[in-house]
Amino acid sequence: MHIIVPIKQVPQSSAVKMDPVTGTMIRSGSAATLNPLDLYALETALCLSERSAGSVTALTMGPPSAAQILKEALSMGASRAILLTDRLFGGSDTYATSYALSKAIEHIGSFDLIITGERATDGDTAQVGPGIAAWLDVALVTYVSAINTIVDRTMEVERLTEEGYQAVRLTLPALISVVKEIAIPRLPTLRGKKRAMNTPIEEWDARTIGADIGKIGLKGSPTRVVKIESPKVARTAEVHIASDEDSMKGAVDRLIDIIEEVYHG
Amino acid sequence: MADVWTIAEVSGGVLKEISLELLGRARTLADTLGVRLASVALTSHLNEDQVERLAASGADVIYLGQDSTLEPFTVSAHASALMALVAEHSPQIILAGATTYGRTLLPYLAVKLSCGLTADCTDLAIEEGSGNLLQIRPAIGGNIMATIKSPNHRPQMATIRPRSTPLPSLDYSRTCTVCHVPITAAVHNPTHVLGLRPFVGQQRSIEDAEIVVAGGKGLKKRDNFALVEDLASLLGAEVGASRDAVDRGWATYPHQVGLSGKTISPELYIAIGISGAIQHLAGIKTAKRIVAINNDRDANIMAIADYAIIGDLFAIVPLLAKRLQERRKTQ
Ligand SMILES: Cc1cc2nc3c(=O)[nH]c(=O)nc-3n(C[C@H](O)[C@H](O)[C@H](O)COP(=O)(O)OP(=O)(O)OC[C@H]3O[C@@H](n4cnc5c(N)ncnc54)[C@H](O)[C@@H]3O)c2cc1C
Ligand SMILES: Cc1cc2nc3c(=O)[nH]c(=O)nc-3n(C[C@H](O)[C@H](O)[C@H](O)COP(=O)(O)OP(=O)(O)OC[C@H]3O[C@@H](n4cnc5c(N)ncnc54)[C@H](O)[C@@H]3O)c2cc1C
């Protein structure tokens, strides 16, 4: 079983700088890391491939520095790592990002399964996975919380919805996005780190994957970020110190008034 | 001029609230643009009174596709029905809920329609002059608000955060046209829903709850988490939890609030023994009111709380439950 895991580099701190003119993120400067939710996708893929003597390819689109998250994927156990990098990809929205990734996946060739994280913690759209499935015309199941069985080309999974856990049967090839509940990510081992050092990262650009220039980067993106604001999140709290019985009673009764207000509109 | 569309969500013949919230929001947009507002419902069946509810909530047109292949939801069945419908009527705007349904269907559909899509919006407006849809959304853990538009692509598409707008008032005197949409089953649907295992001991998911009572590591051990659960049931609320509480097995993952859990917008969020790490706050930035019960005056949660009780939760929460019960009895 060959599994492709698209992973994203995200800023480590939540203090991210934005370019006020283009409305795109300025990545250099703030420390970057692997999108924490992609660890669950990697772990799921590694478990599945170990069961079926398969292989895992990690793929990212990003600046050259994104090679660092591919190293992390390799040290966890991925066997191949591809960095899609080109100035032409800059400013891509989820339409352009999913297009570029789907072209890269076509260029990789055959695969059985694509596993993405639920969402990236910066852009936070959860749109890239479903977008890739649409470009490639493969089965799509989102919010997968467990993989129950895989028999031949048929897989049974559970997905987390607002109503509960839904059981879904799907035919491979497919793309699934996974939630945190699905697995506990392993830590890189020393052996893994050594192997990562010895495994070259393949670098591809727009030309390598035969991308249509009109569909990538800022130019190929239908959406435009036109304004960025920092909302004032600080609210001024009404603070009650509950140090003795009286003050506690007062604080609790005031809270009950607030609760009543919610009930009555 | 092209219409504004909303995508309704139906479960067991009944509309989910998000369907009406979307109409409330979209009614203003349609009026500003001077166009009709249509609601699309794709389902195995929609009860007659529910069709009337859509009309009363603001829909001028209802595109109703009823077919057994449409429920439970699969992307390929819903996307192919919508692609045909969009090709026929060319709406200028399509809105859906930022739910597991909308966040799966719309990004797939947007690529198929070669259109842009803005995720999880909390506000919308029409730009003066151009008539473009301005889509406002929180990103980066709610730390910034971005305004996004798709000037050159139609339809303009967005998913809308549930509970980010009040329900519209119902007007049953409104007139509305119902169009029945023929559904041709997809030749090959690669996904098939086998069944649903509903949540146990919980009426609603935390995304839909008006009040969420959440507990964190300050509860110290599993048994104490009952304080949170009991208070929630007393208030008719749902139970939320910090990641630390979930990782310790005090609550299950569907209850986790925050960056790697759920983003919620309840009317009231009560955080008990939760410090308010930025990853936790990311999930509650759009809650209407936040109450913190914590013995640390300087805990992070205070920066975002509207009301705080500083003290020992093991004394405060039982007293709160007791006083609530007393007050109920006298009423
Ligand atoms: C403030 C802000 C708001 C934005 N809002 C929107 C918007 O509403 N609509 C829109 O179309 N674009 C939007 N964008 C652009 C969007 O963030 C980028 O296109 C981004 O590259 C991908 O989207 P995401 O971060 O939301 O990823 P998600 O769609 O949340 O990522 C889901 C999964 O897809 C995979 N993945 C995502 N990106 C990559 C990658 N580069 N390489 C490999 N795998 C990847 C990972 O497995 C990840 O877990 C916004 C950008 C900013 C800065
Ligand atoms: C990538 C990533 C993703 C994450 N995602 C999430 C997420 O989705 N959700 C999430 O919640 N966290 C998330 N976290 C974890 C987050 O950083 C915090 O570790 C976590 O939220 C802390 O949980 P807590 O508030 O329950 O515990 P603590 O931080 O330990 O807080 C316990 C609080 O209880 C108070 N307390 C203790 N005893 C009492 C008492 N007797 N009476 C009153 N108060 C008391 C303390 O003062 C303290 O404020 C994530 C972290 C990372 C790195």
Side-chain angles (χ1 to χ4, degrees), chain A residues 5-10 18 23-25 27 35 37-38 41 59-62 91-95 97 101 115-130 132 223 225 228, chain B residues 116-120 137-140 144-146 148:
Chain A
V5 185
I7 56 176
K8 189 185 182 193
Q9 186 185 43
V10 299
M18 306 295 297
T24 50
M25 250 179 273
R27 284 157 204 282
N35 174 30
L37 301 186
D38 291 349
L59 165 68
T60 190
M61 180 177 105
S92 293
D93 71 358
T94 62
Y95 178 88
T97 301
L101 290 170
I115 308 181
T116 72
E118 182 199 335
R119 57 199 151 89
T121 55
D122 54 348
D124 212 3
T125 66
Q127 291 178 179
V128 170
I132 296 172
T223 64
V225 178
I228 295 278
Chain B
L117 172 64
T118 303
D120 201 20
R137 64 171 299 237
I140 323 205
I144 62 157
M145 294 297 283
I148 293 175

Side-chain angles (χ1 to χ4, degrees), chain A residues 36-37 121, chain B residues 215-220 241-245 256-262 272-281 293-296 299-301 311-314:
Chain A
L37 301 186
T121 55
Chain B
K217 212 168 86 191
L219 269 301
K220 308 255 180 346
S242 71
R243 188 180 78 171
D244 283 48
Q256 183 179 319
V257 174
L259 195 67
S260 50
K262 302 263 172 67
I272 302 172
I274 292 178
S275 63
I278 54 173
Q279 294 90 353
H280 188 82
L281 300 188
I293 300 176
N294 199 306
N295 61 8
D296 177 7
N300 243 328
I301 189 90
D312 182 13
L313 72 88
F314 296 104

Side-chain angles (χ1 to χ4, degrees), chain A residues 45-58:
Chain A
L46 292 168
C47 285
L48 284 178
S49 89
E50 280 159 8
R51 270 203 261 160
S52 67
S55 65
V56 174
T57 301

Side-chain angles (χ1 to χ4, degrees), chain B residues 229-303:
Chain B
E229 294 162 343
D230 293 348
L231 181 60
S233 76
L234 206 55
L235 294 173
E238 292 306 329
V239 172
S242 71
R243 188 180 78 171
D244 283 48
V246 169
D247 287 352
R248 284 171 173 71
W250 303 348
T252 56
Y253 173 65
H255 298 267
Q256 183 179 319
V257 174
L259 195 67
S260 50
K262 302 263 172 67
T263 303
I264 56 174
S265 314
E267 290 296 318
L268 177 63
Y269 185 77
I270 304 179
I272 302 172
I274 292 178
S275 63
I278 54 173
Q279 294 90 353
H280 188 82
L281 300 188
I284 54 171
K285 289 253 164 86
T286 51
K288 305 288 176 318
R289 267 183 256 216
I290 296 171
V291 170
I293 300 176
N294 199 306
N295 61 8
D296 177 7
R297 220 218 124 107
D298 299 322
N300 243 328
I301 189 90
M302 299 305 159

